[in-house]
Amino acid sequence: MSLALGVLISGRGSNLVAILDAIDRGSLDATLKVVASNKPNAAGLERAKERGLPTVYLDPKPFAQKPKPREAYDLAMGALLQQHGVEYVALAGYMRIVTPVLIQMYPSKIFNIHPSLLPAFPGLDAQRQALEWGAKVSGCTVHLVTEGVDEGPIIVQASVPILEGDTVESLSARILEKEHECYPQALQFMAQKRMYLEGRKVHILS
Amino acid sequence: MSLALGVLISGRGSNLVAILDAIDRGSLDATLKVVASNKPNAAGLERAKERGLPTVYLDPKPFAQKPKPREAYDLAMGALLQQHGVEYVALAGYMRIVTPVLIQMYPSKIFNIHPSLLPAFPGLDAQRQALEWGAKVSGCTVHLVTEGVDEGPIIVQASVPILEGDTVESLSARILEKEHECYPQALQFMAQKRMYLEGRKVHILS
């Protein structure tokens, strides 16, 4: 089956591009239905437009007046995704915490990628956290989004060494290379219906 | 320089054997001064005796009556290590929490190995914790012992994949192979005076 995918971004969308490249070369059976952003100038929107893909900027400001701004925003985002026929959602550098409203519209169908080997270094600035802790190995994690931040079931992880003299930038770049491999791979497991959940464990059938 | 090493064990001492093998083949510049155990039947004591090395069983029971039994035991252990000329201590499956008494006798000179990529899965049963969390990558960590359990500065880490169908036993065996490489390597960094501390970061000079 082809995964009807929506991708949410806030910035350059390098993982979006990796997903698009994987679709183009046939290693990910997915159709990108829409790229949505909470930032008008996210460079990833341009990358998507260049490829003729539908893009949407959903401005958070009008929702700020409402009693539950984050939930109201996610309700609108969910409606937008559904209008575009999105069945699975990939967060790719999307700098908002997703509320239960959206998670319940797409239960176990929202993917995220995090630049550490979770459960180590959750939250912001994972690469900096790893360096400050003096870790010698880090990596990236693709997981399903649940209500606990960075706590959802893990689909794929890949490790990278931390080298003497590494900066946040050099480590981030090394991890990003792995992200670009892992994210399409994790989505492909779903597209091929090779993954299933048992509690919080993701089983991958060979 | 040759590292004057004491090794503390409670069980089979497979990391002790890895250390001894590394010394024998010349990849670790260390002299094993004594192997000490808190368990009389630790199989690792036999392994050491077979190689003609001094071994000591230090029985915890007589210390149990004292006001501070763990500290009193560690004071005796520290004295014992010093009598044998030990300058650096390697914990190898030593199933006691080391108190500040011993840490202060050997500041930044006690090594430990843990079967996870710390800070993920500290404490007991790290391999089981990783499996139950559904992690896809784990590994091992050699670190210096500080007063926080499994929180000390990290010298070496190595990753292993977690495979579909893994049990605690199969994962532990895969990690143990890496432990046997990492522990002598970390000790050799100290023997070669190639490592230094900056805060909680361990720098390794090339």
Side-chain angles (χ1 to χ4, degrees):
Chain A
M1 106 180 162
S2 181
L3 218 57
L5 196 63
V7 178
L8 306 193
I9 63 171
S10 299
R12 62 188 162 167
S14 81
N15 275 304
L16 164 66
V17 172
I19 289 167
L20 290 171
D21 287 346
I23 293 172
D24 285 352
R25 68 171 178 267
S27 59
L28 171 57
D29 302 327
T31 307
L32 216 158
K33 296 292 191 179
V34 68
V35 177
S37 173
N38 64 324
K39 298 282 182 188
N41 303 320
L45 290 176
E46 291 311 309
R47 298 292 85 71
K49 279 180 202 161
E50 286 163 10
R51 297 188 187 221
L53 294 167
T55 63
V56 180
Y57 159 54
L58 186 62
D59 186 356
K61 276 187 230 79
F63 299 90
Q65 330 301 336
K66 309 210 175 187
K68 288 195 164 257
R70 290 167 60 237
E71 286 76 4
Y73 184 85
D74 276 2
L75 208 55
M77 180 62 85
L80 186 160
L81 294 169
Q82 293 193 328
Q83 281 159 24
H84 283 84
V86 168
E87 289 173 14
Y88 293 87
V89 179
L91 310 182
Y94 182 61
M95 300 302 285
R96 289 177 68 92
I97 289 175
V98 171
T99 66
V101 166
L102 193 57
I103 295 169
Q104 284 160 23
M105 289 175 81
Y106 286 98
S108 297
K109 293 181 172 181
I110 305 179
F111 293 69
N112 190 26
I113 190 156
H114 183 83
S116 77
L117 292 171
L118 291 170
F121 314 122
L124 290 175
D125 281 328
Q127 301 95 334
R128 184 181 302 277
Q129 289 183 57
L131 287 171
E132 288 179 353
W133 187 258
K136 300 297 187 188
V137 170
S138 192
C140 66
T141 302
V142 185
H143 65 91
L144 295 174
V145 174
T146 55
E147 297 186 16
V149 173
D150 297 333
E151 287 185 355
I154 293 168
I155 307 163
V156 174
Q157 292 185 305
S159 63
V160 305
I162 297 182
L163 305 177
E164 185 65 30
D166 257 338
T167 61
V168 172
E169 291 67 33
S170 64
L171 177 58
S172 299
R174 193 175 307 121
I175 293 173
L176 200 59
E177 277 187 49
K178 289 288 183 182
E179 292 181 39
H180 295 166
E181 296 168 18
C182 289
Y183 214 165
Q185 184 188 2
L187 293 166
Q188 179 68 346
F189 288 150
M190 183 68 91
Q192 294 179 316
K193 297 192 181 299
R194 284 175 57 193
M195 54 180 273
Y196 67 98
L197 276 170
E198 181 195 15
R200 62 158 292 118
K201 275 178 89 158
V202 177
H203 292 277
I204 312 284
L205 303 172
S206 55
Chain B
M1 107 178 162
S2 183
L3 217 58
L5 196 63
V7 178
L8 305 194
I9 64 170
S10 299
R12 60 187 165 170
S14 81
N15 275 304
L16 164 66
V17 173
I19 289 167
L20 290 170
D21 288 346
I23 293 171
D24 285 351
R25 68 171 177 268
S27 59
L28 171 57
D29 301 328
T31 308
L32 217 156
K33 297 291 189 181
V34 68
V35 177
S37 172
N38 64 324
K39 298 282 183 187
N41 303 319
L45 290 176
E46 291 310 310
R47 298 291 86 71
K49 278 180 202 159
E50 286 164 10
R51 298 188 185 221
L53 295 167
T55 62
V56 181
Y57 159 55
L58 187 61
D59 185 357
K61 274 185 232 82
F63 300 90
Q65 330 300 337
K66 308 211 176 185
K68 289 196 165 257
R70 290 167 59 238
E71 285 77 4
Y73 184 85
D74 275 3
L75 208 55
M77 180 63 84
L80 185 159
L81 294 169
Q82 293 193 329
Q83 282 160 22
H84 283 85
V86 168
E87 291 174 14
Y88 293 87
V89 179
L91 310 183
Y94 182 61
M95 300 303 284
R96 288 178 69 93
I97 289 175
V98 171
T99 67
V101 166
L102 193 57
I103 294 169
Q104 285 159 23
M105 290 175 80
Y106 286 98
S108 297
K109 292 180 172 183
I110 306 179
F111 293 69
N112 190 27
I113 190 156
H114 183 82
S116 76
L117 293 171
L118 290 170
F121 314 122
L124 290 176
D125 281 328
Q127 301 95 333
R128 184 181 302 277
Q129 288 183 58
L131 286 171
E132 288 179 352
W133 187 258
K136 300 297 187 186
V137 170
S138 192
C140 66
T141 301
V142 184
H143 65 92
L144 295 173
V145 174
T146 56
E147 298 187 16
V149 173
D150 297 332
E151 287 184 357
I154 293 169
I155 308 163
V156 174
Q157 291 185 304
S159 64
V160 305
I162 298 182
L163 305 178
E164 184 66 29
D166 257 338
T167 60
V168 172
E169 291 67 32
S170 64
L171 177 59
S172 298
R174 192 175 308 122
I175 292 173
L176 200 59
E177 276 187 48
K178 290 286 182 183
E179 292 181 39
H180 295 167
E181 296 169 17
C182 290
Y183 215 165
Q185 184 188 1
L187 293 166
Q188 179 69 346
F189 288 149
M190 183 68 89
Q192 294 178 316
K193 298 191 181 297
R194 283 175 56 194
M195 54 179 273
Y196 68 98
L197 276 170
E198 181 194 14
R200 61 158 293 119
K201 275 177 91 158
V202 177
H203 292 278
I204 311 285
L205 303 173
S206 54

